[in-house]
Amino acid sequence: MKSFTGGCLCGEIRYEITAEAGPSRICWCRDCQKISSNGTVNVIFPSDAIQISGAPGQHEKTADSGNTVTRRFCASCGTQLFSDSSGRPGLTVVRVGTLDEPSTVKPTTNIWVASAPSWACVDPSLEQFEGPPVVAPQPKA
């Protein structure tokens, strides 16, 4: 099993993840642009595979999808660390830049490209979605 570590700029929040990395995407939605002044590079992990030391602050917002998104960040230095969506229970988005070794995760998709500013460096070699990624229906058990 793979292991990842990371944390915030000031070191108050640290985390360890024991799981394989899920999908990694560059998000150009307006909310991500506001928290980063750019697109955010994110990777999805099972929530229960993340052990956090320190107490992140959080902010909840209703997304355009209607889901509640809870963003967690360091209350001391402001580093954006994680987000959880009511539309993805059991999964947590981790900001790739907060990983100790961010090169271990390579984005495969750009999402919300229609919201990207005209100056955005959108990698044409990656799969692109104008809005949210299309998720294939899961087979019924």
Side-chain angles (χ1 to χ4, degrees):
M1 181 73 52
K2 236 173 158 174
S3 179
F4 299 85
T5 58
C8 67
L9 182 63
C10 73
E12 188 171 314
I13 308 290
R14 293 289 303 159
Y15 62 84
E16 181 175 5
I17 304 168
T18 308
E20 296 295 324
S24 181
R25 303 169 176 145
I26 303 169
C27 183
W28 291 98
C29 77
R30 290 296 296 141
D31 287 350
C32 281
Q33 289 180 55
K34 287 181 181 183
I35 65 171
S36 70
S37 298
N38 207 337
T40 60
V41 183
N42 309 301
V43 59
I44 298 173
F45 287 100
S47 302
D48 60 5
I50 305 171
Q51 299 298 314
I52 301 169
S53 63
Q58 67 181 42
H59 178 263
E60 288 187 356
K61 182 176 188 273
T62 301
D64 289 342
S65 64
N67 294 321
T68 299
V69 176
T70 303
R71 290 182 178 81
R72 292 180 283 159
F73 53 90
C74 176
S76 292
C77 67
T79 302
Q80 294 287 326
L81 297 158
F82 314 107
S83 68
D84 300 284
S85 171
S86 61
R88 290 185 313 268
L91 298 174
T92 295
V93 170
V94 176
R95 307 290 179 226
V96 170
T98 67
L99 293 170
D100 290 336
E101 299 291 336
S103 293
T104 59
V105 175
K106 182 178 181 336
T108 59
T109 309
N110 279 290
I111 61 174
W112 293 98
V113 175
S115 301
S118 60
W119 50 259
C121 297
V122 177
D123 185 341
S125 70
L126 301 181
E127 183 176 25
Q128 296 187 25
F129 293 95
E130 293 293 306
V134 175
V135 179
Q138 298 298 313
K140 293 182 180 179

